[in-house]
């Protein structure tokens, strides 16, 4: 059985679905601080079977000890965490407590229970302002410019240290680039509870009339059109990368770092243009100053994951945007039906 912390969230739910599709037993632990119980229903509908679900906090050591004792858990995918960069600047202690404290408690409980296989949701943000593109796993980690990025790097460091101290650990640090999109069914996707920070969730709210315009943060970067470049990856490709990592960890010990990206960067304006093409909806833009802490470019060298996991992202930017738009439209329909009743 695989325990997924944060499994009701955007990434964890897609990982749960892929695992269930492969007939794995799945137990989700989530405190629902940034997700809803309905995600579990949606996963169940799509998978045709129900994952186990416990509402609880990954920092609750007693709860973890109970779960690791009562369920036949042999690996953990640790997605639980807070992820809003701006919020982390204003509430650093909450971020360190949740993201570092949660990872520490989880590692302690796993070690005590004798469960040593762990896949961790890390981020390309740990590379900081890396100036060589594409970024491969041997690039040095940088100095993340905000407490969120720092909390990911600290959690990675904890995992590096525990693995050095005990050869029974098999840990996969998955450094995600920019996951976007939704399940092609339109039933599962990202549902921000507050004002979105990331580009695509914000753009989707503009497209559906919930916001007036999209702010483009900076058009004076040294890129082809002046806007920032990122490696956007389809959420289903990303989720499948977790299954490949779990498989690979059966034969690998210590810490293994894998970039999960496509290897291709798109600028903000390229993404907006592609979205307008796939949806037919024009997006109003306002150019603003650069967002503090943003890097100019960031895209992955995905070769190590291809060689060691046999995994490569296969879905295009058009697929990501089409699926995201389908999800956004289905969300709106659900809201209209709820309001009409
Ligand atoms: P999300 O907010 O949708 O999901 C995170 C889930 O964890 C939520 O359901 C939340 O309720 C839960 N959670 C948070 N703290 C918890 C705690 N203490 N105990 C139990 N549950 C808790 O975010 P996501 O996009 O699915 O991200 C998942 C992980 O991937 C996070 O750790 C995030 O930092 C990391 N990550 C995300 C991105 C991205 O762009 N989405 C990029 C890089 C890394
Ligand atoms: N971005 C933007 N407007 C927004 C949100 C983001 O122009 O409302 C830009 C941002 O400056 C960056 C890119 O879009 O160049 C991706 O930002 P996002 O927050 O989605 O991801 P990250 O910063 O984590 O790479």
């Amino acid at each position: 059985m695989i325990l997924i912390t944060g499994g009701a969230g955007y990434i964890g739910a897609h990982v749960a679905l892929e695992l269930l599709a492969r007939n794995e037993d799945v137990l989700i632990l989530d405190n629902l601080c940034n997700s809803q119980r309905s995600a579990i229903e949606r996963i169940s509908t799509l998978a045709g079977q129900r994952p186990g679900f416990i509402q609880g906090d990954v920092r609750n050591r007693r709860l973890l000890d109970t779960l690791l004792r009562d369920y036949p858990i042999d690996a953990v995918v640790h997605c639980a965490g807070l992820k809003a960069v701006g919020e982390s600047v204003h509430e650093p202690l909450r971020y360190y407590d949740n993201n570092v404290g949660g990872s520490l408690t989880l590692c302690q409980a796993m070690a005590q229970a004798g469960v040593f296989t762990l896949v961790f949701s890390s981020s390309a943000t740990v590379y900081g302002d890396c100036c060589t593109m594409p970024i491969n796993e041997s690039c040095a980690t940088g100095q993340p410019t905000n407490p969120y990025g720092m909390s990911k790097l600290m959690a990675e460091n904890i995992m590096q240290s525990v693995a050095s101290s005990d050869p029974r650990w098999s840990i996969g640090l998955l450094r995600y680039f920019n996951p976007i999109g939704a399940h092609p069914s339109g039933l599962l996707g990202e549902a921000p509870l507050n004002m979105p920070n990331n580009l695509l969730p914000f753009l989707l709210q503009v497209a559906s009339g919930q916001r007036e315009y999209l702010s483009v943060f900076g058009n004076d970067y040294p890129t082809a059109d002046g806007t920032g470049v990122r490696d956007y990856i389809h959420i289903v490709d990303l989720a499948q990368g977790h299954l490949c990592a779990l498989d690979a960890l059966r034969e690998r010990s210590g810490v293994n770092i894998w970039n999960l990206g496509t290897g291709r960067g798109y600028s903000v304006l390229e993404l907006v243009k592609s979205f307008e093409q796939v949806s037919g909806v024009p997006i109003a833009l306002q150019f603003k100053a650069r967002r503090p802490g943003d890097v100019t470019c960031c895209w992955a060298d995905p070769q190590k994951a291809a060689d060691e996991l046999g995994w490569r992202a296969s879905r295009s930017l058009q697929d990501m945007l089409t699926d995201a738009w389908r999800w956004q439209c289905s969300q709106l329909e659900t809201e209209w039906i709820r309001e009409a009743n």
Side-chain angles (χ1 to χ4, degrees):
M1 172 177 269
I2 317 282
L3 172 66
I4 308 179
T5 72
Y10 175 46
I11 295 170
H14 284 86
V15 175
L17 187 55
E18 293 298 319
L19 282 167
L20 289 167
R22 208 172 72 167
N23 276 323
E24 303 268 5
D25 287 330
V26 171
L27 178 65
I28 289 174
L29 170 67
D30 200 303
N31 65 5
L32 302 183
C33 71
N34 197 37
S35 52
Q36 288 170 336
R37 194 177 280 267
S38 59
I40 308 298
E41 302 310 320
R42 290 163 184 263
I43 296 168
S44 307
T45 305
L46 284 169
Q49 53 180 313
R50 181 167 277 277
F53 174 62
I54 306 289
Q55 184 172 350
D57 199 296
V58 74
R59 291 164 295 179
N60 181 340
R61 175 65 193 274
R62 198 179 296 178
L63 173 63
L64 286 181
D65 288 343
T66 307
L67 297 183
L68 288 160
R69 188 194 62 214
D70 292 351
Y71 292 86
I73 293 164
D74 41 39
V76 179
V77 178
H78 179 34
C79 298
L82 302 175
K83 63 167 181 176
V85 171
E87 194 179 69
S88 79
V89 174
H90 299 292
E91 299 176 72
L93 294 176
R94 191 158 77 88
Y95 271 68
Y96 288 121
D97 181 37
N98 204 334
N99 295 1
V100 182
S103 301
L104 191 60
T105 308
L106 177 66
C107 289
Q108 288 166 335
M110 287 176 69
Q112 179 162 312
V115 176
F116 290 103
T117 304
L118 173 62
V119 169
F120 176 56
S121 292
S122 190
S123 166
T125 190
V126 301
Y127 292 115
D129 205 351
C130 182
C131 47
T132 45
M133 292 296 143
I135 301 176
N136 68 43
E137 293 81 349
S138 48
C139 290
T141 50
Q143 181 72 9
T145 47
N146 53 71
Y148 165 72
M150 194 58 87
S151 74
K152 287 285 159 189
L153 190 55
M154 287 165 80
E156 279 201 3
N157 288 339
I158 290 169
M159 291 168 196
Q160 296 266 11
S161 303
V162 297
S164 311
S165 73
D166 186 333
R168 289 175 292 176
W169 283 97
S170 296
I171 299 180
L173 304 179
L174 303 186
R175 292 181 178 162
Y176 307 154
F177 281 68
N178 288 60
I180 60 168
H183 192 267
S185 62
L187 268 183
L188 207 57
E190 189 169 14
L193 293 183
N194 302 309
M195 165 114 99
N197 298 284
N198 295 113
L199 177 61
L200 190 62
F202 204 102
L203 184 156
L204 291 170
Q205 295 196 353
V206 176
S208 55
Q210 293 161 272
R211 300 191 188 274
E212 222 178 309
Y213 61 86
L214 174 72
S215 300
V216 176
F217 298 136
N219 60 350
D220 57 349
Y221 283 108
T223 60
D225 62 23
T227 64
V229 171
R230 296 291 184 275
D231 184 341
Y232 298 96
I233 174 170
H234 196 294
I235 184 67
V236 174
D237 280 329
L238 186 93
Q240 289 170 349
H242 292 67
L243 275 64
C244 297
L246 283 166
D247 291 344
L249 289 178
R250 288 209 190 95
E251 274 138 42
R252 290 172 169 271
S253 59
V255 166
N256 302 266
I257 301 175
W258 291 298
N259 283 344
L260 295 187
T262 66
R264 168 94 159 80
Y266 289 95
S267 73
V268 174
L269 292 182
E270 281 176 318
L271 184 138
V272 171
K273 196 166 157 216
S274 261
F275 178 80
E276 291 179 329
Q277 278 163 358
V278 303
S279 67
V281 180
I283 300 296
L285 301 179
Q286 280 199 12
F287 291 97
K288 300 274 175 69
R290 293 182 182 190
R291 190 171 61 176
D294 272 359
V295 298
T296 304
C297 291
C298 179
W299 70 88
D301 178 348
Q303 195 56 45
K304 185 166 184 273
D307 293 342
E308 297 180 1
L309 304 179
W311 170 91
R312 251 190 204 284
S314 63
R315 292 161 179 84
S316 67
L317 183 67
Q318 282 70 25
D319 295 333
M320 303 176 209
L321 298 173
T322 305
D323 291 338
W325 183 229
R326 186 182 300 111
W327 158 251
Q328 182 74 13
C329 294
S330 79
Q331 289 279 95
L332 283 180
E333 252 172 55
T334 315
E335 261 169 48
W336 290 332
I337 293 167
R338 202 180 301 129
E339 275 167 24
N341 293 328

